Each structure stands twice: as structure tokens, then as C-alpha cells.
Amino acid sequence: MPTAPHPRNTDELYRALQENDRRPYGRTRTVTAEELVEAAEQFAETRPLVHALLELQEAYTYGSEPRKSPVVFARLLTLFDEQPDEFDERMRHTVFWRFKWVANALLALPEIPLASLRQWLTEMRDRYEKAGLELQPYYGQAHRLAAHVGEDADLAFELWAGRRRTRLSDCEACEICERALHHLAADDDERALRAWEPVLAGKESCQEEPARTVSYALLPMLRTGRTDQARELHLTGYRACRRNPSMSGEVGRHLEFCALTGNEARGLELLAENRNLFDDVDSPLDQLAFLTGVEVLLQRVEHLGHGELPAAGYPGRTWTVAGLRAEVRRRADGLAARFDARNGTTAHADRRAARLERAPLLDTLQLTLRTRGLDEVAPAAPPAPRPATTAVPESLPELIVRARELDERGHPDATVCWARLRTRVADPGYVHPDDPAVGPLARLRADLLADEAARVGDREDFDGATALWQEAASRYDEAGEPGHAALARACALLPASEIPTPDGDQEAGAKAAALTAAHQALVRLHEEAAAGLAPYQEARLLRLRASALGLRLQETRDEEDIAPVLAEVDLLLDFATRHGIAGQASGARLLRATTHALSGDLDTAVEQTDALVARLREDGPAWHLPRTLGLRGRLRLGLKDAQAAHADLTEGLRLAADWPSDSSDTARLYTDLAQACMRLDRPGEALRHLTRSAELALRHGGRTEAFCTYGTAAQISLQLGRVEDCIALLDSVLAEPDVAAGEVDDRLVAQLRLYRARALHAGEDPKAATAEFAALAAESAGWDDDPGSHGLIAAETAVLLAESGEFGRAREAVDQALAAHALAPNHEQLSSSLREIARLQAQRHGAEALADARALLDDAGKVADEARAAGYEARDRSLDSALAYEHGRVNAYAGEYGTALAALERALGLLGEPGPGDGHAGEWAECVRLASVVEGLYLERPAPALARLDAAVDRLTALGRTEETESLTSLAAQLRDEG
């Protein structure tokens, strides 16, 4: 089926060729190019067919289909020989250039005899000589062949490198890479890196560079101690080649780099992202380079004892690391043998062996903000229970009794015992002990359900927790344990009250009412079951009562709800103290401090946590200290004492290391510590803590919390200018299986994609950024419940489209933003976007775009009017003065200088002269400068312009704002010189 309408004439054909040229290389572009060749054959003229064949050969070359490129070129060469007049100078140049493409294509095919390769180079030489062209490009191809075969490479290098470049030479960047690879083959890392320097510094580039150079330079950089530069180049270089069939060898070298720097988990992640390369790469030479890099990675993972991990490989089946490695080794060995048989050497087998024999160059090198080990790679793997702090019995009856004892005390080691019991009970051969101290199997199964319900509730799966608690209650009834059954039913009430309403929402009033009802039900259940409850069970029920009211206060922040919470806390504390239940007494004191914090009395809350910390240090329980220090740290953040908060949270984390991370809410401690670091202007440290927090949340099933935390880390890294870190982090998160499968909340994923699109824009990748923004704008158009987010995305998309020169699409996007603004006003951002698009359009197209630019500014004026009517005050620039200034710029770009000056003078009037402490001095100075440029240079009235400038300089100097005077004094000097 055709992918596009069939061109009816040559004009339509040329438009279709131009449109296809804008597509990324890949199957879609290639198929379209094939169809356009068929379409071109219907026309009598030869030249359209030549253009179509050139486009098709390019698609095959950069789509990694070397077998087809020479066939297309043969047709071109026949046309060139038969109808040379149909080829203009540019097309003639292209034909001679592409002799090199064919040479490279034939080189990549082991079925092409070596004699045929040399014959083609002879043909190239003869054609160049006949056309009067210099032979440096021929010698360049001869050197490539010699290096590929592994014979006479030094001589071939000298014959090529010593010759002067010509118009048909490979680009400077590609030739630099070839020279450097020659030095690399001689084990001269330093000389290779010196040769690569212009490409690595961004001075030379092309279609393949610097991505190709970067992939080769990574290991030499490590060997010469340039680890920071290697890390940075890995991030930028990998992004430039990922999923690209024509750069599969480069991807393989990035995988090898991960394997040799202790980043095996990232390597497996990147392998999964490039799974398409197992199927899409048609070039045997590229396959060999890619597969060898893959094998280096898999070999390393298997060597570390993780051969059973899943790995992304050839389609049609699932793979483990060990299984995929065996398959990759078989295929790569076969390819190397075919090339060596063709060439009559062992060069490819030797090079492959050298890569596979390399030892790791570093034990560890942190490549991204998200550093994971192989233990964290297996999907959906529950976290391994950490070793218990107390001895865990091996005897089954003792283990059951011990788990229950620890659970009664609230000791974190209970989770280790329950985990072991869960494994043993799940064994098909499990035999329950006949021991009165243990009780029936139904009781143990109920205990395990209760433990699972608590863990599921911690992950905020309220439906799941409620169901498990209710099932546990039924099992306890079956086992004849009414006290446990009553407590399990009580435990089910709180998560049940947290379940959102059927429409997915949970309004504050409804949630408060649900918590009130839950409290009432807890009180009734307590009254009915009190006689049958053990003291520790009754204390837990009292804690549930207090927690229900505490959650209600957290929801309402109503002063009337404070006293009931404190009354319940007092009941719990009194009961726990009388019965010597230390854990519940400590919990009551912590809840009381939290209640004072919720009421806004932070000083009292700190006093109470101070007392509790002292008590816990003296009497325990020790596992309560991390949470208590965490609360005090948050309170001190609220009191703006970031240094003290940092100390508390750091100690909390140190102590939490002695206990399971979920029992101490370690992820929350890391998040809060990150906030303290940001307050102390230590953003790098904050990023480390945020990513650690997110990984812990992921490990314990809190995926939404984890992805939100990653989003925060991405924002901070972008604000710090760490663009590649931001992109790499988000790429990793968005590649998570449940994200890719669409199982994560679409709004949360859209937010992460929005951060990534902004990072791509900041990283000067406008094409990728615009594509992502446009996709988000299209998706968010259907968010009827959230027009504000759609408006924000559409406005940003419009600006990027305008920056790319696509002003028609930009206008469509900005119209969407205006429609969303009518439903959810966003005055400042929309006004800014409208002004920027108008400026870009006028700057690029001048007077012919003035009407469209003014229409955009008129829309911005309506937004400013609406903001004024709504009493909205902009956070940064006044919308009115910013609009007047933009009218000045737009009209100046269009040559309407009188109108421009009037607009700028209006802007100055709106701003007013700056005074001491005014924040708009810089904006005022810029407005003065532009008004003086328009008046003095374009309207040729230097005297009033100079008067304006001199007065502004005097004013700013008097205010001590000398930085703002520099551009004004420079302009004044220019006007005086020209006058």
C-alpha cells in the first residue's frame, strides 16, 4: 500500500522528495523513496528520476541497507553515462561523491570478493582521472580497505594522509576520525585523542559526527584518565545514535563502555532501548560491531553471576543474559569468520577477541543520576529482606513464635521472619507443626495476610489493603482468634476510607466525612471487642482511632478537629504507659507532636520531638528514632533552620541504615534531606538524595511516588544546566516497563515527557523537542478536565514551532492555547508566548509578516486586558509594558520605525523611571537602548537619542546600577562617532 498520494506531475514529485528528505532515516523514509522512484519513472524527463534515485540511495545508505545502495547507483551511473547533459554541476558532484558510498557498502558485505572491492576502487580511480579530478578521495577509500583487511594499512595511510584535500574528500570531521582510528590501532591513545580534539570540541561535525568519534573515544579517554569527559560524551553521544540502524556499531561501543565502567545495569537498559537493532540492521559489518559490543556487556553481566536476568534480544522469544550471549557469540563469530575468509586474514576475529578480553577499566563510574546495580534490574522483583538485627530461629515452631512476638512489639525484624515463613508455607511440601504454641495453619495464614495487608497499605494500594485485612479477619475467625479478627477488621477501616470515589476523585469534604465515619466505626468496634482484646491489640486499636482523626485534621486543617485528636492521643498514651507498651507510647508522643505541627504550632511540636528524641535515645525503641528525627527535621525546615534540619535528617538516615528501609520511611528521609540541601544551596547533593529516594520507593512498590521524585530531580538538574543528566534520567524512567506499557497514570507520564521536551530544547535538539511538544499538545487536547495543562503545553509548543520557522503550525498551536486559556486562565505564560512568536515571525520575515505578528500582539493585548480586569499581577514583567516593548521590536523589524518608537516610548511611560530598589531597572535600560537605536540610527535623529541615553546613564549611575549603563554608553559613543 502506498504511504503517500502518487505524484501527478514533476512539481508534486519534487515536493514529495523534499518532504521525505525531512523524515528521519528508517523504514518509512526508505519505503517512500522507493515509491517515489516508481512515480518518477512515469515521467518523460530524466532529471526527476535522477533526483528520486539519489534520494533512494541516501535512504538505503543511512538506513543500513548496503546491499541495495550499489544497485541504485548502477542505475544512476548508467544514466550519467548515457545522458550526461541531464546532470547539472551539483548532480555531477554528487555522482562522483557517491563512488565512496558504494565502496563502503561493498566493504560491509562479506559475500563480495576482495577482488571485486579492488576492482571497484580501480573503477573509481579511472573515473576520477578521466574527469580530471584529484585522487585524494580514492586513496582515502584504499586506506579504509587496507585497514579493514588488516594488511598494508600503514602504507595506505601515508598515501592518503599526505595528500591535499579536494572538493570530493570526505568531510573534515570524518577524515579526522579516520586519522585518529589509525593512531588508535597503533595503541597510541594520546595521539588519537589529540587528532579527535576538533570534533570533540564541536568545531567539526557532519551527519555521522561527532557521534561516531565519541563512541570510539570513550575507552581511550578512560585509559588516559579523562573520566569526567568520557562520562559527558557518553551521555551526549549515545543520545545521538540510539535506535539508529546506521549507527548500530556506535551503540555497541556505548554498551561496551557501560560494561567496563561498572554500569552493567545501565547497559542492559540501553540494550532494551535498542532491541530494534537486532532486526533492523542489514549491514553485516555493522551487525558485527554491534553484536561484539552486546557480547562484551552480556559476558560481564554473566561473569558477575547474573546470567539468569532477562535481556532484550532477537524478536520472537524471551531471552536471559546467558541465553542471549550464546546466540550473539554464535552469530558474531560467524560474521567475523566470513569477513576473514573473504579478506584472507584474521583481523576481524583478532579485533573481536581483543574487545572481549578487555578487563573493566573502572570498578564504578557514575554515568547518570540514576545509578542502579544488577540486583535492581529484574522486573517486579520484591526487595530482598535485609538481615535481621536479632537472631532468626531455624526451627519452624520457634520461627512462628518469634515472628508473632516481634510483631506484637512492632519490631522491624518481624518482616524478616514473616518473609521466611511465607517462603516456607508456599513450599508444596510444607507440613504445619502440630504444636499448641503455634496454633492451626489458618492462624498462620491469617498472620501472613495481615503482614501483606500492612505492606500493601504502605504502598497506598487502599483497595488491596482493605481486601487483605478483611480476608485476614475471616481467617482469624476460622482459627478461633476473635481478638485478632477484630483488630484486622479495624485495620481495614482506615484504607477503606482512603479509597477514591468511583469517578477517581476524593474531595476534601467527602474524605473528611469518610474518616469521621471510620473513627466512629472504630470506636464501636472497640467497645464491642474490648473484653476479648489483649493489651497490645487494644493499644493498636486506640492508635487506629487516633490516626483516623489525625488524618482528618490533615485533610481539613480545621481548628475544631485538633482537640479530638489530642484527646485520642492522650487515651493511647495513658493506656500504653499503664501496660508498658513502649512502641505505642512512643507512637502516641510522635502523633501528638505531628498534631501540633498540623495546627501550625511548630515551636511546641519541636519541643515535643526534642523530648521524644531524648527519651528514645535513653529508653528506646531505637527503631523509632529515624522517623522522629525525620519529623524534627521537617519541622526545622518549616522554621527555616535548614542547617539543623540537615543535621537531623542526616542522623536519621544514618540510624535508619540499621533497620529495614520501609520501617523507617527512608525514602521520605532522603526526600526531606534533599529539600534541606536545596535550602543550603547544595543542589548536587540534593540530586543524589532525590534519586536515592526514588529508587527506594520503586523497590518498595511506590511507583507513583518514585516517578514524581524523579520528575523533581529532572527539574533541578535542568535548572542547574545539567541537561544531559536530565535527559538521561528521564529516558531511563520513561523506559520502565510499566511506563512503556501504558500502565502508569498518563498525566504523570506526560509531565515527565514535558520535562524531557524542555531538556531537549535546552540541549539544542530543536527537532526532537518540537516533535515531543507537538505530540504532547495533541494528547493533552483531550484532557477536558485539565485545560490549563493543555494550554501550557500548547503555548510552549507554539514557541518551538516558531523557532523552527513553522509559523502556520505555531498559529494553530497558539489558537489551542487561547481556547484553553478561556477555560483555565494562564495570563503570564500565554502573553509571553504570543509576544515571542510575534517577535520571531517579524525578525525572520520582516514587513511581509507584520500583519500576522500584529495579530499575535493583539491577542496578547486581550490577555493583558483580561489579566487587568481579573486583578492579576504578573510575577516578573508587567504584561502591558512588555507588550508595548514587543510592539516596538516587531515594528522595528518590519521597518515601521515611527510606530516602533511610539510603542517604545509608551513602554517607558508604563515602566516609569527606576528608583532605589526597583526590580525593573534592567528592563527600563533595555527599552531606552532600543528606543535610542530606532530614533538615532534608523530615524536619523541622533540629538534626541543622545539626550535620552545621557539622561538614562545619569539616572542609573545615581542608583549604582552601572552594569545596566554599559550598553547605553556604548550606543551613545557610536552615535557621536557617526554624527
Side-chain angles (χ1 to χ4, degrees):
M1 176 181 293
T3 59
H6 206 64
R8 293 167 296 183
N9 52 54
T10 56
D11 288 342
E12 289 186 3
L13 175 70
Y14 285 130
R15 281 196 295 271
L17 287 169
Q18 289 174 347
E19 183 179 339
N20 199 39
D21 187 57
R22 290 194 289 268
R23 291 190 174 99
Y25 295 109
R27 199 70 207 129
T28 300
R29 177 166 175 167
T30 300
V31 170
T32 303
E34 291 169 341
E35 293 171 358
L36 293 176
V37 168
E38 293 178 10
E41 289 170 341
Q42 70 179 311
F43 304 120
E45 302 100 314
T46 299
R47 188 163 294 187
L49 177 59
V50 172
H51 282 290
L53 288 169
L54 289 171
E55 163 63 23
L56 180 57
Q57 189 190 13
E58 182 176 344
Y60 285 148
T61 299
Y62 288 107
S64 191
E65 296 189 65
R67 289 181 174 86
K68 297 179 180 178
S69 174
V71 177
V72 177
F73 189 71
R75 288 190 66 185
L76 280 166
L77 205 54
T78 299
L79 290 170
F80 181 69
D81 289 339
E82 294 175 351
Q83 304 178 57
D85 292 342
E86 292 293 330
F87 289 75
D88 60 22
E89 182 56 34
R90 186 183 65 81
M91 295 165 74
R92 180 177 178 275
H93 175 87
T94 302
V95 168
F96 281 104
W97 182 278
R98 292 192 179 184
F99 271 92
K100 298 180 293 181
W101 284 14
V102 174
N104 290 329
L106 296 175
L107 191 75
L109 303 173
E111 63 267 29
I112 303 298
L114 187 60
S116 297
L117 296 180
R118 289 174 174 152
Q119 182 180 349
W120 177 254
L121 291 184
T122 300
E123 172 79 6
M124 177 181 174
R125 176 173 184 150
D126 291 346
R127 293 266 188 169
Y128 272 51
E129 286 181 331
K130 184 178 179 180
L133 301 171
E134 295 185 45
L135 294 179
Q136 193 261 12
Y138 157 77
Y139 283 106
Q141 292 302 312
H143 166 252
R144 282 197 175 193
L145 178 58
H148 169 84
V149 171
E151 285 185 344
D152 301 323
D154 290 339
L155 175 60
F157 179 79
E158 294 302 327
L159 289 171
W160 162 63
R163 292 178 178 267
R164 186 180 62 190
R165 285 174 48 78
T166 76
R167 287 179 62 243
L168 287 165
S169 298
D170 284 345
C171 77
E172 195 76 58
C174 287
E175 289 205 343
I176 286 171
C177 188
E178 290 302 319
R179 289 190 182 91
L181 289 176
H182 179 76
H183 301 317
L184 195 62
D187 296 324
D188 193 340
D189 287 342
E190 288 288 358
R191 193 172 179 186
L193 290 170
R194 283 197 302 273
W196 268 320
E197 189 173 332
V199 177
L200 296 176
K203 297 175 183 177
E204 300 290 344
S205 63
C206 69
Q207 177 77 30
E208 298 175 339
E209 296 291 354
R212 181 167 177 253
T213 283
V214 165
S215 71
Y216 280 110
L218 293 172
L219 298 187
M221 283 185 170
L222 291 181
R223 290 193 290 261
T224 56
R226 299 169 171 90
T227 53
D228 289 342
Q229 189 178 4
R231 174 189 176 277
E232 292 170 8
L233 288 174
H234 163 68
L235 295 179
T236 56
Y238 169 71
R239 184 159 59 84
C241 64
R242 63 178 186 167
R243 296 196 294 267
N244 185 343
S246 69
M247 304 202 83
S248 56
E250 284 77 2
V251 172
R253 286 185 283 276
H254 281 279
L255 297 178
E256 180 178 5
F257 176 74
C258 290
L260 300 181
T261 56
N263 287 279
E264 299 84 5
R266 173 167 169 81
L268 291 177
E269 183 181 293
L270 300 190
L271 180 61
E273 188 177 18
N274 290 276
R275 186 172 193 162
N276 66 298
L277 299 184
F278 285 103
D279 202 35
D280 292 351
V281 180
D282 192 50
S283 164
L285 192 61
D286 289 346
Q287 285 180 17
L288 176 59
F290 171 64
L291 292 178
T292 302
V294 171
E295 188 177 352
V296 172
L297 170 66
L298 298 175
Q299 174 180 269
R300 179 65 183 158
V301 174
E302 191 171 3
H303 174 75
L304 293 173
H306 292 278
E308 79 293 344
L309 282 177
Y314 293 95
R317 60 164 286 187
T318 56
W319 296 93
T320 63
V321 165
L324 181 61
R325 180 192 171 199
E327 179 66 16
V328 165
R329 181 171 61 244
R330 181 185 69 81
R331 297 195 188 210
D333 281 345
L335 286 169
R338 290 176 63 198
F339 278 111
D340 285 343
R342 189 267 299 275
N343 300 335
T345 65
T346 61
H348 288 275
D350 293 344
R351 291 167 191 162
R352 192 172 128 68
R355 289 178 72 181
L356 290 167
E357 289 168 4
R358 283 189 184 121
L361 297 174
L362 292 173
D363 290 335
T364 182
L365 171 63
Q366 184 174 344
L367 295 180
T368 68
L369 294 171
R370 190 184 190 198
T371 301
R372 295 191 296 170
L374 290 169
D375 291 330
E376 299 169 277
V377 168
R386 73 181 301 285
T389 58
T390 57
V392 177
E394 290 298 325
S395 160
L396 180 59
E398 292 178 4
L399 180 59
I400 296 171
V401 171
R402 181 65 171 156
R404 289 170 179 162
E405 289 174 351
L406 292 171
D407 193 64
E408 288 179 13
R409 293 165 50 201
H411 196 292
D413 282 353
T415 59
V416 179
C417 296
W418 292 129
R420 292 195 183 181
L421 283 168
R422 186 171 286 104
T423 301
R424 294 179 72 166
V425 170
D427 189 316
Y430 175 77
V431 177
H432 192 67
D434 184 12
D435 187 333
V438 170
L441 178 58
R443 163 77 193 277
L444 178 57
R445 292 195 185 281
D447 291 338
L448 294 174
L449 282 168
D451 172 66
E452 185 180 358
R455 289 185 291 108
V456 169
D458 288 342
R459 297 200 298 267
E460 297 187 0
D461 179 359
F462 302 122
D463 287 294
T466 301
L468 286 167
W469 279 119
Q470 290 170 344
E471 186 180 354
S474 298
R475 292 292 181 94
Y476 280 128
D477 283 334
E478 179 186 334
E481 296 286 349
H484 284 290
L487 183 58
R489 290 190 175 91
C491 288
L493 290 170
L494 273 191
S497 69
E498 298 268 14
I499 296 173
T501 53
D503 61 0
D505 194 14
Q506 181 74 302
E507 293 183 1
K511 188 171 182 180
L515 288 164
T516 299
H519 177 260
Q520 292 168 350
L522 285 165
V523 172
R524 286 195 301 272
L525 196 153
H526 188 186
E527 291 171 351
E528 294 166 1
L533 295 174
Y536 83 90
Q537 292 171 331
E538 189 165 0
R540 284 192 183 178
L541 213 155
L542 285 167
R543 175 62 185 266
L544 289 169
R545 287 170 53 172
S547 296
L549 294 184
L551 288 169
R552 185 181 69 180
L553 174 62
Q554 184 175 327
E555 192 68 30
T556 65
R557 303 299 173 103
D558 190 330
E559 190 174 341
E560 293 182 358
D561 290 334
I562 298 171
V565 182
L566 294 174
E568 286 285 13
V569 168
D570 288 342
L571 283 175
L572 170 60
L573 182 57
D574 177 67
F575 184 91
T577 302
R578 281 190 288 109
H579 290 86
I581 307 173
Q584 292 294 356
S586 166
R589 293 185 176 96
L590 188 64
L591 185 52
R592 184 164 60 190
T594 304
T595 303
H596 284 292
L598 288 172
S599 70
D601 187 357
L602 299 186
D603 291 326
T604 300
V606 169
E607 290 176 8
Q608 294 188 351
T609 52
D610 286 345
L612 180 54
V613 166
R615 186 186 293 270
L616 290 170
R617 291 192 200 280
E618 184 70 25
D619 302 321
W623 60 88
H624 280 206
L625 257 175
R627 280 185 185 269
T628 306
L629 287 165
L631 174 60
R632 190 168 72 177
R634 289 193 293 279
L635 293 171
R636 285 175 164 168
L637 280 174
L639 292 169
K640 303 189 185 308
D641 189 350
Q643 194 64 57
H646 187 278
D648 276 340
L649 293 163
T650 300
E651 184 185 4
L653 277 171
R654 180 178 61 78
L655 296 173
D658 295 331
W659 310 101
S661 57
D662 52 347
S663 71
S664 301
D665 200 5
T666 308
R668 174 70 183 274
L669 287 171
Y670 274 113
T671 301
D672 293 334
L673 184 55
Q675 185 179 351
C677 290
M678 290 300 292
R679 299 268 186 93
L680 294 170
D681 196 23
R682 289 148 67 172
E685 185 182 342
L687 282 174
R688 291 196 301 274
H689 297 319
L690 283 171
T691 51
R692 184 60 182 150
S693 171
E695 287 301 327
L696 283 171
L698 274 184
R699 195 181 303 174
H700 294 290
R703 303 192 72 78
T704 298
E705 175 189 350
F707 294 142
C708 289
T709 304
Y710 278 131
T712 302
Q715 284 181 289
I716 293 173
S717 60
L718 188 55
Q719 290 164 5
L720 292 174
R722 296 172 60 174
V723 175
E724 294 301 332
D725 280 325
C726 177
I727 295 171
L729 172 63
L730 292 170
D731 281 346
S732 176
V733 173
L734 291 168
E736 283 285 319
D738 52 351
V739 177
E743 297 169 2
V744 177
D745 179 73
D746 61 339
R747 307 299 171 85
L748 175 55
V749 174
Q751 186 67 63
L752 296 174
R753 289 171 57 198
L754 179 62
Y755 295 152
R756 182 176 180 275
R758 288 170 177 165
L760 288 169
H761 186 226
E764 299 181 356
D765 191 349
K767 190 173 182 179
T770 304
E772 185 68 282
F773 264 112
L776 284 168
E779 292 173 25
S780 61
W783 297 353
D784 295 336
D785 60 329
D786 189 9
S789 292
H790 172 58
L792 180 147
I793 293 169
E796 288 193 57
T797 304
V799 173
L800 262 71
L801 288 166
E803 288 177 354
S804 302
E806 298 188 55
F807 294 105
R809 292 180 64 197
R811 180 71 243 194
E812 293 172 4
V814 89
D815 284 343
Q816 291 183 35
L818 284 164
H821 169 75
L823 300 172
N826 187 0
H827 303 97
E828 195 160 358
Q829 194 232 9
L830 181 55
S831 174
S832 175
S833 297
L834 288 162
R835 299 192 312 264
E836 178 64 5
I837 299 166
R839 179 192 70 80
L840 289 165
Q841 195 160 7
Q843 184 178 29
R844 180 168 295 200
H845 296 297
E848 68 181 63
L850 182 57
D852 289 338
R854 283 177 173 172
L856 288 160
L857 294 179
D858 287 345
D859 286 333
K862 293 172 186 174
V863 172
D865 292 341
E866 293 167 5
R868 199 181 312 106
Y872 176 83
E873 291 187 13
R875 292 186 298 275
D876 298 319
R877 303 170 67 189
S878 156
L879 299 188
D880 291 314
S881 63
L883 178 60
Y885 173 79
E886 214 60 69
H887 269 293
R889 277 211 293 188
V890 163
N891 281 284
Y893 284 134
E896 296 286 340
Y897 301 118
T899 306
L901 182 59
L904 292 166
E905 288 179 335
R906 180 169 183 270
L908 287 167
L910 289 167
L911 285 169
E913 286 195 354
D918 275 0
H920 70 270
E923 182 183 357
W924 180 81
E926 166 56 20
C927 204
V928 168
R929 186 198 66 79
L930 185 54
S932 302
V933 167
V934 171
E935 186 170 26
L937 296 178
Y938 293 105
L939 292 175
E940 298 181 351
R941 296 183 340 221
L946 282 168
R948 187 196 308 273
L949 288 168
D950 291 342
V953 169
D954 290 344
R955 181 66 180 170
L956 292 167
T957 302
L959 294 172
R961 305 295 295 264
T962 54
E963 285 186 14
E964 282 83 357
T965 66
E966 292 177 4
S967 63
L968 304 184
T969 53
S970 175
L971 177 59
Q974 179 185 350
L975 289 172
R976 287 189 171 94
D977 289 344
E978 293 182 2

